[in-house]
Amino acid sequence: MFYREAGDFKTSYEQDSQTFPIKFDRFRYYAVLAIAFLVVPFVINDYWANAILLPFLIYAIAAIGLNILVGYAGQVSLGTGGFMAVGAYACYKFMTMMPEVSMFVHVLLAGGMTAIVCVVFGLPSLRIKGFYLAVATLAAQFFLVWLFNRVPWFYNYSASGQISAPERDVFGIMITGPNAPAWATYMFSLIFLTLCALVARNLTRGTIGRSWMAIRDMDIAAEIIGVNPLKAKLTAFAVSGFFIGISGALFFSVYLGAVEVGEAFGITKSFLVLFMVIIGGLGSIFGSFAGAAFLVLLPVVLKVVGVDVLGWPTDIVAHFQLVIVGALIIVFLIVEPHGLAQLWRVAKEKLRLWPFPH
Amino acid sequence: MQDGYITEDGRKIGGVVMEMKNITLRFGGVVAIKDISFDIREGEIRAIIGPNGAGKSSMLNVISGFYVPQEGEVWFHGKPRPQMRPYEVAQQGIARTFQNIALFEGMSVLDNVMTGRLSYMKSGLFSQALWKGKAEAEEVANREVAEKIIDFLEIQHIRKTPVARLPYGLKKRVELARALAAEPKLLLLDEPMAGMNVEEKEDMSRFILDVNDEFGTTIALIEHDMGVVMDLSDRVVVMDYGKKIGDGTPDEVRNNQAVIDAYLGVSSD
Amino acid sequence: MPDQFLFATEVFINGLMAGVLYALVALGFVLIYKASGIFNYAQGVMALFAAMTLVGIMNGQVPFSHIINAVFGTEIHHFGWHVPAFLAIILTVGVMVGFAWLVQRLVMRHLVGQEPIILFMATIGLAYFLEGVSDLMWGSEIKKLDVGLPQGGSFWIEDMTAGLGSENFYGFFIDNLDMVATIVAALLVVGLVLFSQYTKQGRAMRAVADDHQAALSVGISLNFIWVLVWSVAGFVALVAGIMWGTKSGVQFSLSLIALKALPVLMLGGFTSIPGAIVGGLIIGVGEKMFEFWIGPLVGGATENWFAYVLALLFLVFRPQGLFGEKIIERV
Amino acid sequence: MLDAAKTSDVQTETLLEVNNIEVIYNHVILVLKGVSLNVPKGGITALLGGNGAGKTTTLKAISNLLRSERGEVTKGSVKYRGQDVHEEDPAALVRQGVIQVMEGRHCFEHLTVEENLMTGAYTRADGKANIAADLEMVYSYFPRLKERRKSQAGYTSGGEQQMVAMGRALMSRPETVLLDEPSMGLAPQLVEQIFEIVKSINEQEGVTFLLAEQNTNMALKYAHYGYILESGRIVMDGPAAELRENPDVKEFYLGMSDEGRKSFRDVRSYRRRKRWLS
Amino acid sequence: DLVFPSLSYRTGPYAAGGIPFADGYADYFTLLNERDGGIGGVMTKLIECETGYNTEKGVECYESTKGEGALVYQPLSTGITYQLIPKVTADNIPLHTMGYGRTSAANGEVFSNVFNYPANYWNGASGVVNYLLESNGGDLKGKKIALVYHNSAYGKEPIRTLEELSAKHGFELMALPVDHPGQEQKSQWLQIRRERPDFVTMWGWGVMNQVAIQEAANIRFPMENFIGVWWSGAEHDVMSAGDAADGYKALTFHNVGRDFPVFHHIQKYVVDTGKAAGAGDQIGTVLYNRGMYAAMLAAEAAKTAQGIHGTADINAAMMRDGMEALEINEAKMADLGMPNFGPSFNVSCENHGGPGLVGVTQWDASSKTWSLISDFKPTDGDVIGALVAEDSGAYAAENKITPNCN
Ligand SMILES: Nc1ncnc2c1ncn2[C@@H]1O[C@H](COP(=O)(O)OP(=O)(O)OP(=O)(O)O)[C@@H](O)[C@H]1O
Ligand SMILES: Nc1ncnc2c1ncn2[C@@H]1O[C@H](COP(=O)(O)OP(=O)(O)OP(=O)(O)O)[C@@H](O)[C@H]1O
Ligand SMILES: [Mg+2]
Ligand SMILES: [Mg+2]
């Protein structure tokens, strides 16, 4: 028995509803946190920060946000790219309008802004369901991108319509711009990710989370037993928008530093985040992490293996990358439609039973 | 009828809590309910029976506010109930179970039961996000109620199991638990015993009677097993293709020729 | 007649025509959705793949020559023959049927009974896969597709109508290709409607969409139905690919026409074949007219989002689209 | 395990043979722990048992519908007419004459009642006329369906849907019908009617039935032979008449004590179930 | 080794343009290695990294190659350029955005590490107008010019300049955006048909180009009056419209065709020895030539740097100095086997953009060739200079850069 939960008794309901009811899990969780906060910042370099860790952290935030909407509340959204754009542009406007304020505040405000926009586009979800809703959210995607491309106020009238993040700091440490040290950008994003994950976890284990899931599983029944669908759906959109906005803000300001809306926040972004959520596991916070890690790492790994190790031409590798990503997605769905998180759960269940097969 | 009476086995039945007045419900060309009136008294077990497609479930849906009748009114506590959304109806103390189990498949039994308590949980988004203060206290308090009901229905052992994995009969019981968790004044049960064997029906009957006894919950019940209906209910409404063809005590109904023709058939006991 | 009115009419007609082209893509979606409840995101890529295959066959290109050359150090690119368009189309249909079979075999059959969103994701995976394969197979440069369809404005219509307005009005501009597309689309729709409504296979197809398990239980072979449907969808993709490929050359962006088809689907209803056409027409006209009247006021390029917003607003009033099956809500 | 043939008075061919099967869901949940049963040709065999005993799972294992639910038969074999059908796909089984009526109706919501019935004839190739005749036959068994033939099945009542599901299966002209809880949710008259229909189809058309039922009373009244399933194991089997007289069956499945049927109101305490095996 | 990363895109929506450019860029360095043994005796090493025209991948490529001693980046994407401008400045690696990117980077006082010689978009915009002026007897008053542009940072670049020029020369400007990818342009072309501008100019890329040319042919817009920027003037852009595209014009800042000795060398040393980056069939195409031209400019800058710093094994900072001191003249080019291949120009700290000389090419559908029909001519320095000063000034202020040339 590698994995034990026997002998782990709870004596109160608080204990029972804590995030990691099993001691072993709790321990592992603290270990991961300790490494992330206390070890990684000292060993990080530009490549790891900019090519792997920042995108992972930032996409994980977006994935958590989208997972709340899709995985918990059952409202499929393809507007993530557009909402991230709202976060990015809001952040840009706040950064340039109030340069003296801390970056923390800018990012949070950008999240709030996105939450509002997300709620507006969430309103039709009261009537529209399923794939109709999914496609309807594309309206947000295209409209928002068009808007940010079209209205010069959003990009401060720059000639090309690009926005570039000015240098901003937190407590005197550069967070944005080319001179921000890798560890600082990493820590900044990590703090947001940790907070978002905690908040998401708290929300999903409590009342609001249950009403989201009820709406997801059977909306009519949920309403009849007393869930207010308006409130449940719109809070889901708001919370999800808040997270996605934060990730959009970080994506622009901390990670890329300059974006062009159509390119950075196009429809492919929406799909990418949705992939993360599904491959990771719908309705699982851990899954959001797993999915983000998987899809950030996979192309890098494939590239390294294909180009650097095997020495194939880059275009063949790039095409193979598409083939492999596509095939992997399908294989994953076939093997475990409920994502990496479920795979992990099943593995745990098996370990618990080990060495007996059933 | 007077304002309340005492049944043979000594339970007290109160005044009318809900009254359906001339309800008519149509779906396009189909008339599901045709000008039906009946009442439900406080503390009683009221059965609704009738052949398949008679409109029984539709009637419950009208009570729940899910279907809006074209004609007629629902009176609740002596007042006509204004048009309201189903969740508002639920918040007035009306809980129910569904004919085709409508549990939240992606959630554990415990969470399902906890959803029954949503109307009691009022903490704000912010407090919940931080899991501090009101949110946590509320969670614990309501969890206690939920656990009590779980104990009562003897489903402790599956508390953490995702409901999708449960066999049919247990799902029905979980559904009942979810409805009870709302501590309703009026409980609507749509075929709670369908798909159960006798032993399980006996258990379920026991639960229903206990709920009625211990919490004084008024119960409206749809059921096709005549044994159950006749044994449990105080009064029975009989529907047939949208019309009411009988209303009265089990004995009255049993001997009503129209009911025998339309529903019971000759061989019923 | 005032020119402004004539211009508006012209935009209107061209909107209709553009709508037909969108509808051609949307049809493929509808077919698969109807038959399996799957929202097949790969439809656009299928159109690309079909068109690439067609061009490849016509030009006698060696498939996967790029990899073959990279691995074996050879220099082969072409077989050196040219296949006539007609024959090439038939061969391509064969390839699409083969593809349908593979999809069924390798993907669908393992995902029986899964939730729609999972199936949707699988088709996105498929889209990536197919995109990579098409490029590996036929190369990613732009290819010209010419199966002999006429192209360019119709002189005849132009001459006939030039007299309607002042000398500022040249006559209506109507693209010959669009007219061909309209005829083809009309034929396809009629054929498909008859098929799905009045044949045993059509009925089975709709049954499968509702409930996989139940369909299995009455002996409908999901595998067969899926191969059938994906083949038909592949054929529709080929038709769309030919039309769009003729218009803009065969290259990567062809797969993005799927995005143009989605609002059409919403508006027409995911399950309705006539809906795809009507939806397409409404979207085509709507976006062109909007761009014509409102576009100049807000800086243009409204077409990408207008269709979606229109569809969205429409759905708020009719959640299942124009002709979609009513969403059954019961407890 | 007892042998069905031993007790049956008429020595008939065994159509369906289930040998010691084990079923696992999701790779971890073991549901059937070695179930064996025999279904003789032309008989009505009942499979009884409480909730979650594994009746549905057994039927699905036979008709090969498990795979789509992430379940698999890991041990044992299923033979139809002596042939192993374990690997066949459900459609092939239907063509061989085995059709399942699934628990919970499973109608095609968006198809009309008539279209639903017609899908039942999907595997048939014996001409439109025969199919039309059978459609009339189904309508004659279930007149209510004829009235509602043009409405979408999704909007019909529970009972009507059950009729649709039954009728749909009959449309395939089956040799063996696996009937999962046909009485669930039906009005008493209709339950009886359905069992009568089962009986008459069985007698007149010679269709074999394997019937999973909760309504033990009814099932044993109409079945020839019964198996009782509990927690994934067959705990008792025998001719229906014998089972009906068995005191345990009487108490737990028929709700009768020595004094005859007792009122549901009188069950004052929950009984600890007595089990044959545990 | 002298490391030259090539952020290429051989996949995705813009692959058709990305492939020949990347081939040309790579083949030239291979040629230097094979024929000359590298640059100044040090072998060159090309690291290709696929971006798919995607900024995030661009960042990944940048981060993964910069540690290898990369000398200069050539991202061939305006989006990635904007991304890299601050990063290269911080890392002190030069960035060469030839004919694309951020136009105001021509101001080397602000953008110390970014170079966009020999011409930029604003030169392009002015080049179009100058060409039209010239062919219309110096007068464009009352004429109407339509700009069909890719609705992105790239496509929007010329608008400001064209607006200024329209005020200056009195023509009317009509801007028509086309959204990515640009497969459906009916609206835009119907509008052109209605409003009948005298000239159409285009800032397109990818499939948008072909569709525009096809649509122009469909409405029978006279091709001679249709001028694309240099990214809208490759063979594949015109090929699919067939004969109808005959006469279409495009700007350029280098020569076209394969009649240059350097191509014989490439054929001999690179293609025939099987070392070509692509299939070897792209030589002489517009974008291949451009890629090769970019490589040549990089190699020459490297040579210059070697000269300045007296070492053959230069680093990125030295490379930057080399680029800033680059001199290209006819003699040098003839020496390299590219006589008259591009304009002569000098780069300086104040001017990273070169002289902005722009030529015009025209497509001949029957022979399927592009030919240069106008020499490399200067563009409107006053207008452009002011715009550059304004935009780079704003950038400097926002990023607290003090413009200086030390
Ligand atoms: N898809 C599934 N995944 C996991 N477990 C399942 C699944 N389907 C059924 N089970 C489990 O298998 C056991 C047997 O279920 P089954 O449906 O066969 O019972 P049954 O005898 O038909 O009961 P009922 O009378 O309630 O229909 C149950 O404990 C159930 O929880
Ligand atoms: N949403 C709806 N749309 C259309 N028709 C409906 C709808 N809901 C119910 N009906 C129809 O109304 C009639 C009554 O249905 P209802 O479900 O109330 O019957 P029931 O008495 O509960 O029957 P059962 O005992 O079979 O459950 C049926 O004929 C049904 O088809
Ligand atoms: Mg009902
Ligand atoms: Mg069952």
Side-chain angles (χ1 to χ4, degrees), chain A residues 46-47 50-51 59 92 96 146 149-150 155-157 159-162 164-168 178-179 251 255-260 263-264 269 272 300 303 307 314-315 318-319 321, chain E residues 8 10-11 48-50 53-57 59-61 63-64 66 78-80 82-83 86-87 90-91 102 122 149 151-154 156-157 160 177 179 391 395 398-400:
Chain A
D46 268 2
Y47 179 75
N50 290 331
Y59 277 124
Y92 176 67
T96 50
W146 177 84
N149 205 352
R150 183 46 53 198
Y155 48 85
N156 286 358
Y157 305 93
S160 62
Q162 294 245 0
S164 306
E167 298 197 315
R168 292 291 179 268
N179 297 316
F251 189 83
Y255 171 39
L256 288 186
V259 296
E260 176 181 349
E263 206 271 279
K269 189 108 309 153
L272 181 67
V300 176
K303 191 191 100 173
V307 179
T314 51
D315 54 336
H319 290 143
Q321 200 167 309
Chain E
S8 61
R10 295 169 180 275
T11 59
E48 198 161 323
C49 186
E50 170 75 29
Y53 205 72
N54 170 315
T55 31
E56 283 160 74
K57 286 215 192 113
V59 173
E60 201 267 336
C61 281
E63 295 293 349
S64 68
K66 82 175 184 200
T78 298
I80 299 177
Y82 272 78
Q83 206 70 238
K87 288 195 205 289
D91 295 333
R102 182 165 195 145
W122 298 350
Y149 69 96
N151 197 8
S152 66
Y154 151 63
K156 285 188 210 164
E157 283 274 359
R160 277 287 296 285
D179 264 333
D391 192 69
Y395 182 84
E398 192 169 289
N399 291 282
K400 304 187 191 76

Side-chain angles (χ1 to χ4, degrees), chain A residues 157-201:
Chain A
Y157 305 93
S158 77
S160 62
Q162 294 245 0
I163 54 172
S164 306
E167 298 197 315
R168 292 291 179 268
D169 61 348
V170 172
F171 305 128
I173 301 162
M174 252 344 144
I175 294 298
T176 64
N179 297 316
W183 67 265
T185 56
Y186 164 81
M187 280 299 275
F188 189 66
S189 309
L190 181 64
I191 289 170
F192 271 104
L193 174 61
T194 314
L195 291 179
C196 286
L198 282 178
V199 167
R201 168 67 201 161

Side-chain angles (χ1 to χ4, degrees), chain B residues 52-58 99 190-191 222 224, chain C residues 330-331, chain D residues 157-159 185:
Chain B
N52 296 110
K56 306 180 294 296
S57 299
S58 303
Q99 179 169 10
D190 198 346
E191 303 197 16
I222 298 177
H224 283 302
Chain C
R330 283 194 68 182
V331 276
Chain D
S157 81

Side-chain angles (χ1 to χ4, degrees), chain B residues 18-262:
Chain B
M18 175 162 279
E19 196 173 358
M20 316 300 290
K21 293 193 172 175
N22 307 93
I23 304 282
T24 298
L25 177 72
R26 284 183 294 266
F27 298 104
V30 182
V31 185
I33 302 175
K34 219 180 285 172
D35 192 27
I36 288 191
S37 308
F38 67 94
D39 59 15
I40 301 170
R41 287 171 167 272
E42 188 167 359
E44 79 175 337
I45 299 182
R46 186 73 149 121
I48 304 174
I49 61 172
N52 296 110
K56 306 180 294 296
S57 299
S58 303
M59 184 57 91
L60 285 203
N61 281 333
V62 168
I63 299 179
S64 303
F66 180 59
Y67 286 164
V68 182
Q70 277 81 8
E71 284 156 41
E73 281 177 333
V74 179
W75 284 52
F76 194 43
H77 291 306
K79 288 191 297 278
R81 190 175 74 184
Q83 163 86 47
M84 51 172 70
R85 305 282 311 165
Y87 70 90
E88 293 167 316
V89 172
Q91 282 163 5
Q92 293 201 331
I94 299 181
R96 67 173 285 186
T97 67
F98 302 89
Q99 179 169 10
N100 294 318
I101 298 172
L103 282 172
F104 306 123
E105 299 262 315
M107 299 156 73
S108 68
V109 169
L110 179 63
D111 278 337
N112 265 283
V113 178
M114 287 291 279
T115 51
R117 296 208 55 78
L118 280 179
S119 343
Y120 296 88
M121 301 174 80
K122 302 263 181 252
S123 64
L125 194 62
F126 203 66
S127 151
Q128 286 188 48
L130 302 179
W131 202 254
K132 280 280 161 284
K134 198 166 171 201
E136 194 174 11
E138 196 177 70
E139 180 81 12
V140 171
N142 284 291
R143 172 85 184 265
E144 266 160 29
V145 181
E147 290 285 352
K148 222 176 265 158
I149 285 161
I150 287 175
D151 284 348
F152 174 68
L153 290 179
E154 301 184 340
I155 45 177
Q156 310 87 330
H157 59 294
I158 49 163
R159 211 194 262 123
K160 295 268 167 93
T161 318
V163 287
R165 283 191 198 168
L166 296 181
Y168 189 83
L170 277 180
K171 282 188 185 170
K172 287 244 148 187
R173 221 187 281 179
V174 174
E175 219 187 3
L176 180 61
R178 183 178 69 187
L180 288 182
E183 299 180 272
K185 296 194 203 66
L186 174 59
L187 178 63
L188 312 174
L189 302 174
D190 198 346
E191 303 197 16
M193 294 172 213
M196 295 193 172
N197 66 17
V198 174
E199 188 187 14
E200 289 154 349
K201 280 180 180 167
E202 285 173 357
D203 282 359
M204 203 57 153
S205 303
R206 198 55 259 149
F207 291 134
I208 292 172
L209 289 173
D210 284 355
V211 169
N212 178 255
D213 259 4
E214 289 180 20
F215 307 126
T217 311
T218 312
I219 293 174
L221 165 85
I222 298 177
E223 186 48 62
H224 283 302
D225 184 321
M226 279 311 104
V228 172
V229 170
M230 297 300 165
D231 291 350
L232 298 193
S233 56
D234 297 302
R235 288 189 302 154
V236 183
V237 188
V238 191
M239 294 174 66
D240 184 28
Y241 293 132
K243 291 194 296 282
K244 186 164 98 171
I245 57 170
D247 189 352
T249 63
D251 281 330
E252 286 164 14
V253 165
R254 205 198 309 259
N255 299 319
N256 180 332
Q257 192 55 42
V259 176
I260 293 173
D261 291 346

Side-chain angles (χ1 to χ4, degrees), chain A:
Chain A
M1 291 232 273
F2 290 128
Y3 186 80
R4 51 175 77 238
E5 36 185 58
D8 214 1
F9 298 110
K10 313 290 171 320
T11 47
S12 76
Y13 293 136
E14 292 100 285
Q15 277 181 18
D16 195 40
S17 55
Q18 65 190 354
T19 303
F20 295 99
I22 298 166
K23 239 187 222 138
F24 186 59
D25 281 345
R26 207 154 50 230
F27 170 73
R28 199 174 39 214
Y29 161 74
Y30 288 129
V32 168
L33 269 190
I35 293 174
F37 275 96
L38 302 176
V39 180
V40 176
F42 294 100
V43 297
I44 195 168
N45 63 16
D46 268 2
Y47 179 75
W48 276 91
N50 290 331
I52 293 169
L53 288 172
L54 280 185
F56 160 66
L57 297 174
I58 293 168
Y59 277 124
I61 298 177
I64 292 174
L66 188 64
N67 214 335
I68 285 181
L69 198 55
V70 181
Y72 286 94
Q75 311 295 306
V76 182
S77 159
L78 295 175
T80 318
F83 297 132
M84 281 177 79
V86 175
Y89 278 76
C91 185
Y92 176 67
K93 288 307 280 187
F94 288 129
M95 281 165 87
T96 50
M97 284 192 302
M98 339 185 262
E100 62 290 341
V101 178
S102 160
M103 227 1 236
F104 255 114
V105 180
H106 291 145
V107 174
L108 287 177
L109 284 179
M113 203 65 217
T114 314
I116 294 171
V117 175
C118 214
V119 166
V120 171
F121 280 98
L123 283 171
S125 71
L126 299 174
R127 291 274 296 164
I128 308 173
K129 289 172 186 166
F131 282 121
Y132 285 96
L133 178 67
V135 179
T137 54
L138 283 176
Q141 170 69 51
F142 287 110
F143 179 74
L144 290 169
V145 165
W146 177 84
L147 187 71
F148 293 128
N149 205 352
R150 183 46 53 198
V151 181
W153 180 80
F154 287 113
Y155 48 85
N156 286 358
Y157 305 93
S158 77
S160 62
Q162 294 245 0
I163 54 172
S164 306
E167 298 197 315
R168 292 291 179 268
D169 61 348
V170 172
F171 305 128
I173 301 162
M174 252 344 144
I175 294 298
T176 64
N179 297 316
W183 67 265
T185 56
Y186 164 81
M187 280 299 275
F188 189 66
S189 309
L190 181 64
I191 289 170
F192 271 104
L193 174 61
T194 314
L195 291 179
C196 286
L198 282 178
V199 167
R201 168 67 201 161
N202 285 342
L203 287 178
T204 51
R205 68 178 156 159
T207 318
I208 191 89
R210 278 192 289 266
S211 53
W212 288 340
M213 291 188 275
I215 288 284
R216 168 194 71 190
D217 285 347
M218 207 171 266
D219 53 350
I220 300 171
E223 180 167 6
I224 292 177
I225 68 158
V227 178
N228 180 346
L230 178 81
K231 197 172 140 203
K233 285 181 183 172
L234 293 189
T235 46
F237 271 98
V239 173
S240 158
F242 182 68
F243 289 0
I244 291 174
I246 287 181
S247 93
L250 294 174
F251 189 83
F252 152 68
S253 61
V254 175
Y255 171 39
L256 288 186
V259 296
E260 176 181 349
V261 62
E263 206 271 279
F265 300 117
I267 175 123
T268 36
K269 189 108 309 153
S270 302
F271 278 119
L272 181 67
V273 180
L274 189 61
F275 273 154
M276 292 175 175
V277 170
I278 292 190
I279 290 199
L282 286 168
S284 155
I285 307 246
F286 167 74
S288 308
F289 282 82
F294 186 76
L295 282 180
V296 167
L297 279 178
L298 185 66
V300 176
V301 170
L302 288 179
K303 191 191 100 173
V304 169
V305 170
V307 179
D308 301 347
V309 179
L310 298 175
W312 289 359
T314 51
D315 54 336
I316 291 193
V317 173
H319 290 143
F320 263 115
Q321 200 167 309
L322 280 177
V323 173
I324 291 172
V325 171
L328 270 180
I329 288 171
I330 296 171
V331 168
F332 257 114
L333 294 176
I334 290 173
V335 174
E336 187 45 76
H338 298 106
L340 293 168
Q342 175 71 10
L343 220 52
W344 175 234
R345 271 194 292 269
V346 171
K348 278 204 291 198
E349 252 173 74
K350 282 203 172 150
L351 278 183
R352 189 156 54 215
L353 294 169
W354 195 85
F356 311 105
H358 300 295

